[in-house]
Amino acid sequence: MSYEQLALSGAKAYREKPDALLLAIESSCDETAASVLRGSREILSMAVHTQIPLHQKYGGVVPELASRSHVERVGGVVQKALDDAGATLDDINAVAVTYGPGLVGALLVGVSYAKGLAYAKGLPLIGVNHIAGHIAANYLTYPDLEPPFVCLVASGGHSHIVQVRDYDDFVLLGRTRDDAAGEAFDKVARVLGLPYPGGPNLEKLALTGDAAAYALHAPFNDSPSPDFSFSGLKTAVINLMHNAEQKGEPIRPADMAASFQHAVIKTLTNKSLRASLEAGASTLALAGGVSANMALRTSLAQAAEAAGMRFCCPDFRFCTDNAAMIACAGHYALMAGAPSPLSLNAVPNLALCAYGGHGEAG
């Protein structure tokens, strides 16, 4: 029997087995992760190797170093996930892997490893969109959550407002026109002299600052468009700091961090709430690395409550890149369609869905 026949047979068996085990691998950026999931939402294990110490001295992720680290770690991380789940490869019924978007070299490590496992064991392989994985992190936190709902996905590389019509049916309502929210946080943190990772350190500094100290404004963000822009806010911070330096005036870093964070969160909240109301959603969800920001979580929760909507956000362990969310998204993808072929390749600019606003897919 050919691998293709084995994969199709395995996918059919997976759909018919409520307690099937799925092994997932995530390597899109600077986390090597693996997880074993039973059924749709029961996590048996989560193994993660972070590369933060590796990239810290460079002030950001170095793609080549990230890829090498994934090569060195993926086998051990997968084995740890299996061991922690009390399982072996013989117990696994399907393999899921992130194939985009992300760093192409990093993605290729996970994709190649997953394809090797699937082929060797005759298991169905399912390629997962990383953004769909972030959205699925909410399913792991809320056992009763089901589509439809609207989700703000905010991370270092992506800022999208997504209408989740079904587990595998998405419509992109709005997105950033330039920098993603997390990317803007990291860039401003670097300007303020904060260490990598910038976002969490900027949030910590902002706790001691005055959010009204500096007027930061991007006119585009006041428009009715569901899209947003953070490049202008980032540039405003840089210009304020340069002007102050030229005049010999002191800059209060905590106030600048608080003012910038306030401007970004106000934009994300207003745009997400408006898009949710226009879509007729009863639930507004949050996902992605920036979902760990407490100020953003609080702002969205208050806005949703005032509008009579339910608010959902992932448990903190599911905010940053992890394989449990990829496993969950992979489960629903396999339940809905055929497994991926062995020709599955890394797609660094992979789109989640057709764009419902203006411009290209995102």
Side-chain angles (χ1 to χ4, degrees):
M1 186 180 292
S2 68
Y3 168 75
E4 288 75 15
Q5 293 172 316
L6 286 171
L8 287 172
S9 175
K12 182 176 183 294
Y14 182 93
R15 297 185 189 105
E16 296 171 350
K17 186 177 181 181
D19 60 347
L21 299 187
L22 184 148
L23 170 68
I25 299 171
E26 153 64 28
S27 66
S28 63
C29 190
D30 59 347
E31 311 282 359
T32 311
S35 178
V36 176
L37 191 75
R38 176 186 285 135
S40 61
R41 307 190 186 192
E42 184 185 354
I43 302 170
L44 299 186
S45 66
M46 281 180 66
V48 181
H49 174 264
T50 181
Q51 298 178 9
I52 287 178
L54 176 65
H55 301 289
Q56 208 154 31
K57 61 183 176 181
Y58 302 104
V61 178
V62 181
E64 179 61 27
L65 294 180
S67 301
R68 291 181 183 180
S69 179
H70 287 307
V71 171
E72 295 168 355
R73 299 287 183 171
V74 64
V77 169
V78 167
Q79 189 59 55
K80 184 175 185 342
L82 290 169
D83 292 343
D84 290 350
T88 69
L89 282 175
D90 291 333
D91 301 314
I92 300 300
N93 303 107
V95 179
V97 63
T98 304
Y99 75 108
L103 301 175
V104 64
L107 289 166
L108 281 169
V109 176
V111 169
S112 299
Y113 199 90
K115 286 163 66 172
L117 289 180
Y119 182 77
K121 305 300 292 185
L123 297 173
L125 171 74
I126 190 73
V128 176
N129 185 298
H130 184 75
I131 300 174
H134 274 304
I135 294 171
N138 280 286
Y139 301 136
L140 299 174
T141 304
Y142 303 92
D144 65 324
L145 178 64
E146 296 179 352
F149 58 91
V150 168
C151 185
L152 168 64
V153 183
S155 68
H158 314 281
S159 287
H160 298 333
I161 302 173
V162 180
Q163 183 180 17
V164 184
R165 299 196 297 195
D166 204 343
Y167 290 109
D168 63 335
D169 184 4
F170 309 98
V171 174
L172 186 58
L173 302 178
R175 63 173 184 178
T176 180
R177 291 289 185 90
D178 36 60
D179 289 349
E183 181 183 7
F185 269 106
D186 288 341
K187 289 178 177 178
V188 170
R190 191 176 298 118
V191 172
L192 292 173
L194 300 176
Y196 171 84
N201 286 307
L202 187 146
E203 179 188 7
K204 183 178 179 181
L205 180 62
L207 290 172
T208 61
D210 177 7
Y214 297 100
L216 300 174
H217 182 65
F220 177 79
N221 291 330
D222 293 330
S223 72
S225 168
D227 292 352
F228 26 80
S229 169
F230 298 121
S231 180
L233 294 174
K234 171 201 67 182
T235 302
V237 171
I238 295 172
N239 289 340
L240 278 171
M241 295 187 68
H242 284 173
N243 290 337
E245 182 181 0
Q246 291 171 353
K247 296 176 182 178
E249 299 173 350
I251 281 287
R252 301 179 299 280
D255 290 349
M256 184 65 76
S259 298
F260 175 76
Q261 178 177 260
H262 173 75
V264 172
I265 289 175
K266 179 181 178 182
T267 296
L268 290 174
T269 299
N270 291 345
K271 297 282 187 177
S272 299
L273 182 63
R274 184 185 298 128
S276 299
L277 292 172
E278 291 178 353
S282 60
T283 299
L284 171 60
L286 173 64
V290 184
S291 67
N293 184 291
M294 281 303 301
L296 177 59
R297 291 164 84 101
T298 300
S299 177
L300 284 171
Q302 292 174 344
E305 181 180 7
M309 288 189 289
R310 180 187 185 186
F311 175 67
C312 296
C313 60
D315 184 272
F316 285 107
R317 63 184 175 142
F318 302 133
C319 291
T320 53
D321 292 350
N322 65 88
M325 67 182 193
I326 301 303
C328 184
H331 166 84
Y332 287 114
L334 190 54
M335 295 297 286
S340 302
L342 281 180
S343 59
L344 180 73
N345 201 1
V347 183
N349 297 316
L350 180 67
L352 176 67
C353 51
Y355 185 35
H358 307 284
E360 303 172 354

